[in-house]
Structures are given as structure tokens and as C-alpha cells.
Amino acid sequence: MDPNRDLVTQLVNADPGLPRPNPTQSYWQHVPHALANAQSATLPTERDYVIIGSGITGLSVAKNLLERHPTATVSVLEARTLCSGATGRNGGQMAANVGEEYSYLADTHGPEMAGKIVSFTFRNLEKMHDFIREYDAVEASEMQKLHKLRAFLTEDTFLDFKKSIARLESDHPSWKGFYKILEKDDIIKDHGIHGAAGGCLLPAGTVWPYRLVTKVFAALMAKYPDRLTIETSTPVTAVEHESSSVFPYTVRTPRGPVTTRNVVYCTNGHTGHLIPKLRGRIHPFKGTMTVQDPQTEVPNRGETTSWGFHYPINYDPATKESGHGLYYLGQSVKTGYFYLGGENARIEHVVTADDSFVTKNSVKHLQSVLPKFFGSATPEWNLVSAWSGIMGFSSDGVPVIGQLSESLTGRAGQGEWIAAAFNGYGMANCLLSGEALVSMILKDRESDWLPGAYTLSEKRLRETLTAPESIKALTAKL
Ligand SMILES: Cc1cc2nc3c(=O)[nH]c(=O)nc-3n(C[C@H](O)[C@H](O)[C@H](O)COP(=O)(O)OP(=O)(O)OC[C@H]3O[C@@H](n4cnc5c(N)ncnc54)[C@H](O)[C@@H]3O)c2cc1C
């Protein structure tokens, strides 16, 4: 009996429940949008599409359905306030992890598919910049197009990274030179970052996701007042199916039922609550974020640089806390504040869907590491804000996009769809995943750029998207 394994097994298979009604306050949401509590006077019914979840994925699905279907009626049902899930509580990084993950992706999905995943994520990031411009949200969302400096804090992590990039460049020569490798001395001299064994620079960006998503929802509400409704404080508690009806699905909420032709789950780490057969295959993963004020100690580089700090995953048997291997960091051009996230906590505080508290040790840890990266003698900078948020992780490290089969839902009918489990990299995946899902729903367009590994095949459900694979991956960290 391995107690860690037993605990992980219990955690990944647990019902994540509904989004908690009393989440921690995210700095991004400290000025709520006018639509934060939007809802119709009476819950509408007989909808063509009900989308569950109002994060960036729900937004992308809603936008594509409304734009590409001339008459579709759409209701977005959200348990809490608008955009109050991971999208409203993340790190604001528009960056991809596919370089350092390439070896894993190639081993798991094959080199050809791994190359497709790399292309997809960078295409999605480009699309994010276009999308922000299209909705005139550059200023509101404080979007920056910049370079991300990935710093590797040990020789081994740097070596693994270089091997991964070498393999990417050898399998797919068009990516040659995209990642600019930096040696230790360059990182201190040119970038003022201390303690790295080496690193790289790659194109990336930063954004205020809450402001972006709420602004676009407002634009959609203005453009489609007769076809779109947003229903916040409307948790979906169950979905039922009645084959003989024109609107065969009944979506249950405390405000009453909504009947619909299709249900689209954009429920991220909470998906397993409504689709129990996906528990364990997709599990919640709680992240911690801080905003820290360096005052005048370091220059403001928010316009040119964001940062990621990679270290070996570690476990302390005395405290039972794990360091999950990454800190991610951006800086506000306006205030100079640093936005730093990372996980250093007991496994039961990480594999959980409870964002109603922050783990104090994680926050202390994030405060203690940041000044050191910039060579500051100050032990801690001022803590402006700290909060937590729930990501959705899949056992095979890639999103889950497609039609839900009867074997997963336990219901007859062809009208249940999903886009979830972005493994902490939603800004590099959600927008195009939503677009591709709508292509599947409407069958109106090819989206052959969507990596096949993201879709819901029976083979994937049998082999890689399984609870035992999640348990294996998490237990390896303990
Ligand atoms: C702390 C943290 C830091 C992160 N940092 C980054 C980063 O820097 N860069 C990056 O790319 N990604 C980051 N991510 C991940 C990224 O935020 C997500 O991948 C992305 O936002 C997922 O978007 P989504 O719309 O799929 O899910 P969400 O934004 O989580 O939206 C899902 C919504 O569904 C609602 N919901 C769930 N169940 C129900 C139900 N039964 N009824 C009604 N509503 C329901 C939830 O309330 C929620 O609002 C981070 C995530 C966290 C938590």
C-alpha cells in the first residue's frame, strides 16, 4: 500500500462539485464588469445551444455559433459571476509550453502529432493578438506583444530543455531558431535574472484576460440582443435527455429548467461534476497567484519581457509539500506590479476544485522566490493580492475537444459537446479549440489544423485519457 498513491487516486476520482460560491478575490476582477451579474428576468428556454461556462472557451464557442449560424439562439449559463473561473484568475501569460514539452508530446502522441500541437498553439497565440485588436481591446486588456524569457534553474532542467528543442528542430526544421537559447552569463548580463543555469527567449504576450473576455461578451450582447443571453448565478446541477422532444435536453438549474437542442460543456476543471465518466480523466488542479510590488527596486520590463522559471519537481516528505516545477511571471507596464504564480503545496491542496481559499505556504513561497530572481536583497516585496483558481488537467496533457458519446454521458442523443482541460495553457489553446468545436457542431468548415490528439476518440479514452494515467503522472511528483 502506498499512502500517496491512495490519496492521489481518491483526489483525481473525486466529484469536483460545482464552482464554489465564495471564491477568493482575484486582482483581475477587482473592478467588476457591468455584465458581472447579468441575467434575464426569466430564464429563457427552448434554446438551440446552451453553453455551460463563461470563460474564454465559452466565449469562443458563443461567438462562433452566433457568427456562423444565421439564427441560432444561445444561452451562456454561469454558476458564479461572468468570467469568474480560471480565465478570470490566471497569470495573464499568452505563452506556449510546447517547446519544453516537445519530447513528452512526441513520445506520447508521435512526432507528427507533436508538430501539429506546436503549430496549433503558436497559431492560437497569434489569433489571440488579432482577436484583441478586432475587439479594440488592446488598451483595456493591457495587451503586450513581447518575448518570454524561460530560465532554467538547474543544469539538468536546462539540458532537458535543450534536448527537447533539438528534437523539435530535427523533426520539424521549420522551427529552427525560433527558440533563442541563452547561456547563464547572458541571462544575468542582458536580462538581470539571477540563479539560472541557462534559458531561452521566445515570442509571447501578456493580457488582462478578465477585461478582454467581458468586453467581448458585451460586444456580442450588443450585436445579438435577440439571440444571446448570459445567465450568471445559474449553476447547472444536472442534464437530462428526452429523445422524443424537439428540444431534447433539459438543463437543470436552481432558477428552473432550460430546454435545448445542444449542450456545450466549457466547464474546465469542474467537468467531472456533470459528466462523472470523465472524472479522473480530467481533474481539477488548483493554482495560486500573487501580485507583488517591487516599488522602485527593479526597472519595469513589462513592455518587452515576461518570464518563466523552471526547476525540478520536488517533494518534501516532512511537510508533504510538492513544488510543481514552474513559476510564471508578468509585469504591469502601468503599475510595475509583478504577477507571479506557481504551486508549492500539499497534493490535497492542489488536486482540488476549491478556490475559496489560498494556501498560505504557497503565497509565502511565491513571495520568497521573486526578489531573489532579480538579485534583490529585500527578502519579500509588498504583497498586493493573492488568490487561487481551478485549472482542468487531462491525463495525457492535451485538451479534450469534441462530441460526447452516449458511453460518456449515459444518455442517448447527439447533442452534447465539450471543450475543456487546457492543462494550464488556456491562452494558447482555448480560442481556436472553441472555433474548431463549432466546426464539428455546425459541420460548416474544415478545421484540419486542430490536432487529432485533442479530439475524443475511443482509442484515446482506452489508452491515454484514463484515470490511471492521471494517477501515474501525479504520483510521480511525490
Ligand atoms: C492560477 C491560474 C493561473 C493560470 N495562468 C495561466 C497563464 O498565465 N496562461 C495561460 O495560458 N493559462 C493560464 N491558466 C489556465 C487558463 O486560465 C485556463 O486554461 C483557461 O482560462 C480555461 O478557460 P475555460 O473557459 O476553459 O475555463 P474557465 O475560465 O475555468 O471557465 C469555466 C467556467 O465554467 C463555470 N462552470 C463550471 N461548472 C459549471 C456548472 N455546473 N454550471 C455553471 N457554470 C459552471 C465556472 O464557474 C467557470 O466560470 C491559469 C489558470 C489558473 C487557475
Side-chain angles (χ1 to χ4, degrees), residues 18-19 52-58 77-81 83-95 234-237 266-268 270 273-274 285 287-289 328 387-391 419-420 422-428 430:
L18 288 170
I52 311 175
S54 67
I56 191 162
T57 309
L77 272 49
E78 167 56 53
R80 309 193 295 204
T81 56
C83 192
S84 57
T87 309
R89 353 186 109 250
N90 70 16
Q93 301 274 322
M94 291 196 285
T234 308
V236 173
T237 52
C266 300
T267 40
N268 201 23
H270 294 274
H273 182 60
L274 293 172
F285 190 97
T288 304
M289 273 297 301
Y328 41 97
W387 67 91
S388 60
I390 308 304
M391 302 173 229
F422 297 97
N423 296 283
Y425 282 84
M427 303 302 106
C430 296

Side-chain angles (χ1 to χ4, degrees), residues 199-403:
C200 81
L201 278 177
L202 75 156
T206 53
V207 67
W208 191 308
Y210 176 75
R211 288 200 185 156
L212 169 66
V213 167
T214 51
K215 188 169 184 332
V216 180
F217 265 125
L220 294 179
M221 285 290 278
K223 191 165 176 193
Y224 303 101
D226 302 328
R227 296 209 277 135
L228 172 65
T229 81
I230 295 175
E231 310 295 342
T232 64
S233 301
T234 308
V236 173
T237 52
V239 175
E240 294 157 14
H241 182 259
E242 172 56 68
S243 330
S244 57
S245 171
V246 180
F247 295 91
Y249 292 96
T250 301
V251 174
R252 300 273 169 204
T253 84
R255 294 176 62 208
V258 185
T259 54
T260 180
R261 294 180 207 271
N262 293 274
V263 184
V264 189
Y265 298 82
C266 300
T267 40
N268 201 23
H270 294 274
T271 303
H273 182 60
L274 293 172
I275 313 286
K277 289 252 168 69
L278 284 176
R279 286 180 201 163
R281 303 176 196 266
I282 298 175
H283 65 82
F285 190 97
K286 175 171 160 172
T288 304
M289 273 297 301
T290 59
V291 178
Q292 303 183 40
D293 180 4
Q295 290 162 341
T296 52
E297 278 213 39
V298 292
N300 190 328
R301 298 187 182 89
E303 222 166 31
T304 57
T305 316
S306 66
W307 302 263
F309 300 91
H310 299 254
Y311 61 94
I313 290 166
N314 60 61
Y315 176 66
D316 178 350
T319 60
K320 299 195 170 168
E321 287 170 2
S322 304
H324 285 262
L326 174 69
Y327 309 107
Y328 41 97
L329 178 70
Q331 188 171 24
S332 163
V333 175
K334 286 196 176 153
T335 61
Y337 289 175
F338 280 117
Y339 295 80
L340 178 68
E343 281 56 74
N344 202 288
R346 294 166 73 112
I347 194 74
E348 59 270 38
H349 292 157
V350 174
V351 185
T352 168
D354 186 352
D355 57 4
S356 67
F357 69 97
V358 279
T359 317
K360 284 202 184 103
N361 283 350
S362 280
V363 175
K364 274 273 155 220
H365 183 82
L366 290 173
Q367 277 190 279
S368 71
V369 291
L370 185 55
K372 288 186 197 135
F373 293 142
F374 289 90
S376 164
T378 309
E380 281 180 9
W381 286 333
N382 213 11
L383 183 68
V384 177
S385 180
W387 67 91
S388 60
I390 308 304
M391 302 173 229
F393 270 52
S394 61
S395 57
D396 54 7
V398 292
V400 175
I401 315 295
Q403 187 169 32

Side-chain angles (χ1 to χ4, degrees), residues 391-448:
M391 302 173 229
F393 270 52
S394 61
S395 57
D396 54 7
V398 292
V400 175
I401 315 295
Q403 187 169 32
L404 288 165
S405 62
E406 194 176 329
S407 63
L408 282 173
T409 61
R411 291 178 283 272
Q414 305 289 308
E416 293 185 68
W417 310 86
I418 186 171
F422 297 97
N423 296 283
Y425 282 84
M427 303 302 106
N429 281 292
C430 296
L431 199 63
L432 282 182
S433 293
E435 184 177 329
L437 183 66
V438 172
S439 297
M440 293 180 203
I441 296 172
L442 299 180
K443 298 186 185 72
D444 66 340
R445 239 185 233 178
E446 278 294 310
S447 50
D448 51 4

Side-chain angles (χ1 to χ4, degrees), residues 94-109:
M94 291 196 285
N97 65 339
V98 285
E100 59 277 21
E101 290 293 315
Y102 182 77
S103 285
Y104 165 78
L105 291 169
D107 288 345
T108 312
H109 304 286

